[in-house]
């Protein structure tokens, strides 16, 4: 049958990335406590396209996923990218997995436990045989405004914030490491299940430790910089302000990619 995708392009212009996104796929990820965890990822796959070709072969992305092991680690991720490059005759390939990762958290006083979900992601690009691998986690925390506390006779405004961590590293890094660094950076961590005694603890702990968004991003960056395996990081904190009709945010990116 005629291969229309290999026809000459009407506009001879290279495309940086072309592919498929929004795919749902069951995957297996590493879990420090249980060994493995089953979850479902939203997947994006793409390749570069030279100027002379009209289109890429979209079905081959799905074929690559169908032949992939489904267990998400560095080696299997590399093999998926290698397969995409070969199947689509590409010079570079990019894959992204975004998935919920679950941890069971004990409430701070009652000990009641419930599942917390964290949005995690793995990004990878294979270009000229070199793999760039990025691991990330989005971590919710609670913050109390130091300025509001200082100027108010009663109370202070508080809100949830999200610590978005992206890392590159040598060796192996647990998702739990990134989540714990994020949770330590706010006024207090948040929980899925709180009894009254837990609510008292969380409120009083947060108000004893007020933090600007700038404080949170610096604390998270410090934790990432001190991690022995991490050689590059980017951390963004967004505070969903409770008394403003906007969010506040701050970003720190490390200088070295070596």
């Amino acid at each position: 049958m005629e291969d229309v995708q290999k026809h000459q392009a009407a506009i001879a212009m290279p495309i940086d990335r072309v592919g498929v996104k929004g795919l749902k796929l069951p995957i297996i990820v590493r879990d420090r406590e249980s060994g493995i965890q089953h979850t479902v990822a939203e997947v994006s796959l793409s390749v570069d396209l030279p100027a002379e070709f009209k289109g890429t072969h979209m079905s081959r992305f799905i074929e690559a996923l169908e032949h992939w092991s489904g267990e998400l680690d560095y080696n299997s991720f590399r093999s998926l990218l290698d397969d995409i490059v070969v199947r689509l005759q590409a010079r570079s390939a990019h894959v992204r997995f975004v998935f919920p990762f679950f941890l069971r958290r004990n409430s701070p006083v009652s000990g009641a436990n419930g599942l917390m979900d964290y949005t995690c992601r793995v990004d990878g690009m294979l270009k000229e045989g070199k793999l760039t691998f990025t691991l990330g986690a989005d971590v919710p925390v609670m913050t109390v405004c130091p300025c509001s506390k200082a100027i108010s006779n009663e109370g202070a405004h508080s809100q949830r914030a999200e610590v978005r961590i992206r890392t590159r590293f040598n060796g192996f890094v647990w998702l739990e490491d990134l989540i714990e660094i994020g949770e330590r950076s706010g006024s207090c961590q948040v929980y899925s299940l709180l009894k009254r005694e837990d609510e008292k603890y969380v409120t009083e702990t947060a108000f004893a430790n007020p933090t600007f968004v700038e404080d949170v991003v610096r604390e998270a960056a410090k934790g990432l910089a001190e991690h022995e395996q991490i050689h590059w990081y980017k951390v963004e904190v967004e505070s969903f302000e409770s008394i403003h009709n906007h969010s506040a945010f701050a970003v720190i990116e490390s200088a070295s990619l070596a």
Side-chain angles (χ1 to χ4, degrees), residues 31 33 37-39 99-108 112-120 137-142 160-163 175-176 179-180 182-183 188-194 202:
D31 183 316
E33 182 175 340
Q37 183 175 137
H38 294 264
T39 186
F99 53 92
F101 184 75
F102 296 90
L103 292 177
R104 189 163 292 281
R105 294 302 201 202
N106 291 328
S107 301
N113 66 76
L115 282 175
M116 283 284 295
D117 64 285
Y118 306 86
T119 299
C120 295
D138 298 343
V139 184
V141 296
M142 179 181 176
R160 274 194 298 167
E162 189 168 68
V163 185
L175 283 168
E176 290 92 332
I179 290 167
E180 287 164 5
E183 287 181 332
C188 188
Q189 72 182 84
V190 299
Y191 301 85
S192 62
L193 174 59
L194 293 173
V202 168

Side-chain angles (χ1 to χ4, degrees), residues 124-144:
M125 172 177 278
L126 186 64
K127 187 173 184 179
E128 298 176 351
K130 181 181 179 182
L131 174 58
T132 303
F133 184 90
T134 306
L135 181 68
D138 298 343
V139 184
V141 296
M142 179 181 176
T143 60
V144 172

Side-chain angles (χ1 to χ4, degrees), residues 190-229:
V190 299
Y191 301 85
S192 62
L193 174 59
L194 293 173
K195 307 300 286 184
R196 277 175 294 184
E197 58 267 37
D198 301 309
E199 289 191 27
K200 179 178 185 295
Y201 173 89
V202 168
T203 303
E204 291 176 348
T205 298
F207 274 73
N209 182 35
T211 51
F212 289 125
V213 69
E214 297 92 331
D215 298 316
V216 180
V217 78
R218 285 171 172 147
E219 185 66 30
K222 179 176 180 290
L224 294 166
E226 291 173 348
H227 194 291
E228 293 182 353
Q229 275 72 48

Side-chain angles (χ1 to χ4, degrees), residues 16-155:
D16 296 326
R17 289 185 187 176
V18 57
V20 297
K21 64 191 302 185
L23 295 163
K24 297 293 195 302
L25 186 74
I27 62 170
I28 300 170
V29 296
R30 297 281 185 90
D31 183 316
R32 190 167 61 192
E33 182 175 340
S34 304
I36 61 171
Q37 183 175 137
H38 294 264
T39 186
V40 175
E42 183 168 315
V43 186
S44 301
L45 312 169
S46 60
V47 293
D48 71 294
L49 187 69
E52 62 269 21
F53 292 136
K54 185 176 182 64
T56 194
H57 294 81
M58 298 294 184
S59 64
R60 296 180 185 178
F61 292 111
I62 313 303
E63 289 174 341
L65 275 182
E66 287 296 324
H67 286 83
W68 183 59
S69 69
E71 187 165 350
L72 187 56
D73 59 30
Y74 182 90
N75 291 329
S76 70
F77 198 71
R78 172 66 188 253
S79 71
L80 175 59
L81 283 160
D82 282 332
D83 191 25
I84 291 171
V85 166
V86 172
R87 286 178 186 272
L88 287 107
Q89 300 175 337
R91 291 170 297 188
S92 66
H94 179 268
V95 175
R96 170 176 292 167
F97 287 85
V98 180
F99 53 92
F101 184 75
F102 296 90
L103 292 177
R104 189 163 292 281
R105 294 302 201 202
N106 291 328
S107 301
V109 179
S110 70
N113 66 76
L115 282 175
M116 283 284 295
D117 64 285
Y118 306 86
T119 299
C120 295
R121 67 183 61 217
V122 174
D123 280 275
M125 172 177 278
L126 186 64
K127 187 173 184 179
E128 298 176 351
K130 181 181 179 182
L131 174 58
T132 303
F133 184 90
T134 306
L135 181 68
D138 298 343
V139 184
V141 296
M142 179 181 176
T143 60
V144 172
C145 177
C147 180
S148 178
K149 182 180 177 182
I151 64 177
S152 300
N153 291 327
E154 293 186 21

